[in-house]
């Protein structure tokens, strides 16, 4: 056996007759079927010229064959490179030019556009549609099941995932076989996953959350997943009686709470609700507990590091905290300027080190070097603190920090206060260019409608609760906050939209 993730997965499968993946349309794939189909597809990939270390770029809808394509790529020694289905052809041009895959798999509707891009680097093109049909599946039907898994070292690449890149160019995070397997096994233990688990899988499979956290953890446990093409509150509630775990982004939980069908009885057979990828409001945590009797388990990770911290399975799951460092993973808080380690409760840069942390950014040695400390800690870019009980709290991305009149303002502190005001659904605090202060603290608020507070009422409610320099200079209202597919609030869009809020009128005109 080598360190290839596929080898290790194969060894972990105790009962090949069990279902690995089912769809709401009624398709079921057993572990035996999964191994066989991964063999067929690996043969196709090898026949198409995919050699060990070659990238296979994949932009397809979620389906069982799409999941198998990930395993087949790794089995063939290739490097799996999933791409967000929302990317346009112009965006694909960048990723493909940067990663230089030897094969690109896309939806049949995109074939011509992708072929033009592929031609520039001499890559092959195959298709896979939302139902699992296409040239790849056709070829796999005729291919043999047996395939000798390509030996790989633990340090060899298994995948490249491009970061969402809200500032600057998106970077390819290089993830090794050991990165992925170590995290899957760590989470399996931490969250007590086993063969009897049935995961409701409603996340996309081009992102670390849906692909590695959800799929790897379930498969390495011998459990099964029910694939939903996308989030659907009604479908999720209908599946709960025959499932045990849900993994979601905070928006899932907010939307499920809006559904009258969510109650203790519906959730009675579930053993675990996991949230991550964006901050879960403490309010949502409490409401969920009151409605279902379950405390959501919030964890924290990122594309570059897989998962770093998790609230405990047994023990207190603290609303608003992302939990304790996972076993084998070190987390520390440092002064962003001097890199000096900070003490308990001090806010600073979150740095992590462990077998989960990626190898570096694809073809960006300078960027990679700049984001690691000499002692191997990765600088996450997230600001946070570790409290007296060792729980990690995130206060926001470093780039979202507001510096006003020379003072640092951590948006989350202001957002927590605003969110607690009756009639406020949620808020985002941003820094907007301001001639006097450098940046002006600005709150963008979503209200619940009837009787909800206006700007003056919100400012009055905050007065006396926050130091003067932290008070928003303006409070603006929107019907909803802009979010990406992983539920992250896109503060960069808010900053762009309100960029001229404090601009002085042009005196010359
Ligand atoms: P991504 O690489 O797309 O997974 O995004 C990673 C980023 O999402 C992290 O660096 C955090 O800023 C944020 N994130 C992930 N999980 C959480 C969480 N539980 N609470 C707050 N932010 C989170």
């Amino acid at each position: 056996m080598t360190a290839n993730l596929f080898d290790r997965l194969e060894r972990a499968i105790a009962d090949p007759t069990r279902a690995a993946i089912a769809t709401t349309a009624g398709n079921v794939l057993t572990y035996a079927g999964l191994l066989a189909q991964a063999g067929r597809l690996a043969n196709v990939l090898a026949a198409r010229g995919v050699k060990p270390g070659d990238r296979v770029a994949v932009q397809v809808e979620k389906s069982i064959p799409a999941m198998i394509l990930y395993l087949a790529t790794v089995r063939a020694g290739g490097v799996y490179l999933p791409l967000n289905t929302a990317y346009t052809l112009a965006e694909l041009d960048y990723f493909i030019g940067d990663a230089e895959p030897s094969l690109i798999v896309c939806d049949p509707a995109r074939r011509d556009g992708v072929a033009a891009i592929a031609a520039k680097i001499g890559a092959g093109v195959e298709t896979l549609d939302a139902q699992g049909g296409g040239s790849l599946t056709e070829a796999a039907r005729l291919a043999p099941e047996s395939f000798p898994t390509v030996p790989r070292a633990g340090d060899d690449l298994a995948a490249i995932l491009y970061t969402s890149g809200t500032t600057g160019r998106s970077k390819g995070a290089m993830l090794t076989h050991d990165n992925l397997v170590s995290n899957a096994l760590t989470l399996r233990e931490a969250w007590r996953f086993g063969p009897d688990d049935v995961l409701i899988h409603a996340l996309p499979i081009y992102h670390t959350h849906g692909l590695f956290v959800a799929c790897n953890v379930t498969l390495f446990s011998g459990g099964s997943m029910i694939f939903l093409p996308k989030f659907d509150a009604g479908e999720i509630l209908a599946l709960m009686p025959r499932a045990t775990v849900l993994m979601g982004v905070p928006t899932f939980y907010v939307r499920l709470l809006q559904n009258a069908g969510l109650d203790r009885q519906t959730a009675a057979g579930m053993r675990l609700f996991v949230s991550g990828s964006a901050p879960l409001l403490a309010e949502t945590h409490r409401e969920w507990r009151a409605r279902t009797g379950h405390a959501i388990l919030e964890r924290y990770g990122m594309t570059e590091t897989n998962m770093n911290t998790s609230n405990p399975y047994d023990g207190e799951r603290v609303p608003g905290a992302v939990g304790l460092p996972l076993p084998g993973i070190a987390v520390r808080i440092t002064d962003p300027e001097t890199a000096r380690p900070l003490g308990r409760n001090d806010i600073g840069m979150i740095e992590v080190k462990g077998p989960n942390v990626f190898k570096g950014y694809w073809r960006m040695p300078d960027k990679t070097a700049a984001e690691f400390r000499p002692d191997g800690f990765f600088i996450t870019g997230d600001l946070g603190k570790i409290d007296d009980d060792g729980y990690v709290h995130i206060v926001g991305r470093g780039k979202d920090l507001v510096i006003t009149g020379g003072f640092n303002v951590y948006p989350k502190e202001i957002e927590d206060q605003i969110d607690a005001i009756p009639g406020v659904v949620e808020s985002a605090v941003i820094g907007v260019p301001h001639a006097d202060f450098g940046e002006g603290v600005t709150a963008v608020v979503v209200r619940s409608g009837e009787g909800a507070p206006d700007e003056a009422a919100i400012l009055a409610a905050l007065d006396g609760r926050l130091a003067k320099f932290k008070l928003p200079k303006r409070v603006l209202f929107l019907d909803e906050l802009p979010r990406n597919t992983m539920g992250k609030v896109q503060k960069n869009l808010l900053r762009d939209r309100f960029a001229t809020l404090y601009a002085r009128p042009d005196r010359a005109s």
Side-chain angles (χ1 to χ4, degrees), residues 164 207-208 276-279 298-304 322 382 394 397 488:
S164 33
H207 184 269
T208 185
S277 291
E298 186 171 8
R299 87 322 175 260
Y300 157 62
M302 59 198 302
T303 302
E304 290 93 328
V322 295
D382 289 313
I394 298 177
R397 294 290 296 164
K488 292 185 212 300

Side-chain angles (χ1 to χ4, degrees), residues 10-211:
E10 199 171 0
R11 285 264 296 256
I13 297 170
D15 183 357
T17 65
R18 279 191 182 247
I21 318 178
T23 64
T24 43
N27 296 324
V28 179
L29 182 76
T30 62
Y31 277 92
L34 182 142
L35 296 178
Q37 290 204 29
R40 290 183 196 275
L41 257 189
N43 275 306
V44 174
L45 296 178
R48 296 291 183 274
V50 174
K51 296 185 297 303
D54 278 4
R55 278 76 58 210
V56 176
V58 178
Q59 189 194 40
V60 298
E61 293 297 335
K62 182 176 178 181
S63 67
I64 292 181
M67 170 68 207
I68 293 170
L69 178 55
Y70 152 56
L71 295 176
T73 302
V74 172
R75 187 172 187 181
V79 180
Y80 189 64
L81 197 166
L83 292 161
N84 191 323
T85 44
Y87 287 143
T88 62
L89 280 175
E91 286 166 321
L92 284 189
D93 193 46
Y94 164 71
F95 294 114
I96 290 169
D98 188 52
E100 295 190 306
S102 65
L103 183 69
I104 307 167
V105 182
C106 66
D107 195 272
R110 283 229 153 152
R111 199 186 187 294
D112 291 349
V114 168
I117 299 171
K120 293 197 251 176
I121 54 159
V125 180
E126 295 289 343
T127 60
L128 185 61
D129 67 24
Q131 283 69 45
S135 66
L136 202 64
T137 320
E138 280 306 303
R141 275 198 309 130
L142 307 171
E145 279 178 14
S146 76
F147 181 88
T149 299
V150 173
R152 298 269 80 193
D155 195 33
D156 284 332
L157 298 194
I160 294 178
L161 262 60
Y162 278 85
T163 58
S164 33
T166 44
T167 50
R169 287 236 118 152
S170 186
K171 305 181 285 277
M174 301 190 287
L175 295 153
T176 67
H177 289 261
D178 275 356
N179 289 155
L180 302 184
V181 176
S182 73
N183 215 234
L185 299 179
T186 300
L187 295 175
R188 182 179 76 181
E189 298 313 309
W191 297 342
R192 311 275 200 278
F193 258 74
D196 292 330
D197 273 312
V198 178
L199 174 83
I200 303 175
H201 191 307
L203 294 158
I205 56 169
Y206 50 72
H207 184 269
T208 185
H209 193 168
L211 185 61

